[in-house]
Amino acid sequence: NTWTVDGSLAKGKKMVSENVTQILRSFNIDCENAIDKVKFNNMDSMKKRIESSYDKLNKLNKSMSISIKNEYLNLKLEELKLSYEYQLKKQEEKEEARRIKEELKEEARIRKELEDAKQNVIKDLKHFNNALKSLESQLSDNTLDEDKKKALLDKKAELEEQINTLESNLSNIDYRQSNQKAGYVYIISNIGAFGENVYKI
């Protein structure tokens, strides 16, 4: 209030007022830049940028007894924190969307693999069942000698075993198709490490 310019108190007040406007505008611009640029991974550097601006501007204007209040700095840091939390949430949502996309892609790949495997098993089953029918037709011939009959019976047993294996494989594929997200739950107890009645799942 006591500054004069060219001996004029009015000019002195005008100069002080202009410097007040300048320090406030400079600090607000620095804060806005930091707040606009804050990301999920640079909070500390943006906080330092605001604090550095606060310190430098206060030092530059110390001779005129002009300074930014600490309460105003804290409000700007709170605004930075809110912006950072928003960016962090956006990043989490982005990562979650990426994870879901990868999960859906993996599920589609597994579905296709299972469907292809199922079609192959059905094709093999059809082939072996036809071969079994043909063999049973040959076995119904009463004119067969014992050696030929034994060879056909051995072949029949082999085909039946292969059919059983394929039917079991088909059953497993059907189960996997209807329970794609099935897995295991492991429950660990370790009294020495966790303490009594404490379990890790």
Side-chain angles (χ1 to χ4, degrees), residues 88-103:
L88 193 65
K89 189 70 181 169
K90 270 175 71 177
Q91 182 63 21
E92 285 171 3
E93 286 171 0
K94 192 176 176 182
E95 285 172 6
E96 178 65 8
R98 190 185 298 123
R99 186 194 65 76
I100 290 168
K101 188 179 177 183
E102 287 298 318
E103 194 175 282

Side-chain angles (χ1 to χ4, degrees), residues 38-173:
V38 74
K39 297 282 182 280
F40 70 96
N41 57 357
N42 68 351
M43 171 66 172
D44 289 340
S45 62
M46 293 300 110
K47 183 173 182 276
K48 281 176 187 170
R49 187 181 289 190
I50 290 174
E51 288 170 341
S52 174
S53 173
Y54 171 82
D55 291 336
K56 283 176 185 173
L57 288 168
N58 278 351
K59 278 177 188 173
L60 284 170
N61 289 273
K62 190 176 180 181
S63 62
M64 294 188 72
S65 301
I66 297 170
S67 64
I68 300 161
K69 285 188 175 182
N70 190 255
E71 290 88 345
Y72 193 62
L73 169 67
N74 290 337
L75 286 171
K76 287 297 181 185
L77 292 176
E78 183 63 26
E79 191 179 344
L80 177 74
K81 185 184 169 191
L82 290 170
S83 185
Y84 164 72
E85 287 171 355
Y86 172 71
Q87 293 296 333
L88 193 65
K89 189 70 181 169
K90 270 175 71 177
Q91 182 63 21
E92 285 171 3
E93 286 171 0
K94 192 176 176 182
E95 285 172 6
E96 178 65 8
R98 190 185 298 123
R99 186 194 65 76
I100 290 168
K101 188 179 177 183
E102 287 298 318
E103 194 175 282
L104 291 172
K105 190 177 174 183
E106 181 64 12
E107 284 175 10
R109 185 188 65 77
I110 291 169
R111 265 198 309 274
K112 188 178 184 311
E113 279 182 9
L114 289 173
E115 191 54 40
D116 289 347
K118 185 176 183 177
Q119 292 308 315
N120 287 334
V121 169
I122 289 169
K123 184 181 171 185
D124 289 345
L125 262 174
K126 190 176 180 182
H127 169 74
F128 285 120
N129 277 319
N130 287 339
L132 186 63
K133 281 178 187 174
S134 173
L135 203 140
E136 284 171 343
S137 176
Q138 290 176 53
L139 279 167
S140 64
D141 185 354
N142 294 326
T143 63
L144 287 173
D145 62 57
E146 283 303 311
D147 288 342
K148 181 76 172 170
K149 191 173 183 181
K150 186 180 181 305
L152 287 172
L153 285 170
D154 288 344
K155 184 70 177 170
K156 183 186 176 190
E158 188 183 315
L159 283 171
E160 285 172 341
E161 188 179 336
Q162 287 174 320
I163 287 167
N164 286 336
T165 301
L166 286 169
E167 283 175 344
S168 175
N169 290 345
L170 189 62
S171 177
N172 286 337
I173 290 169

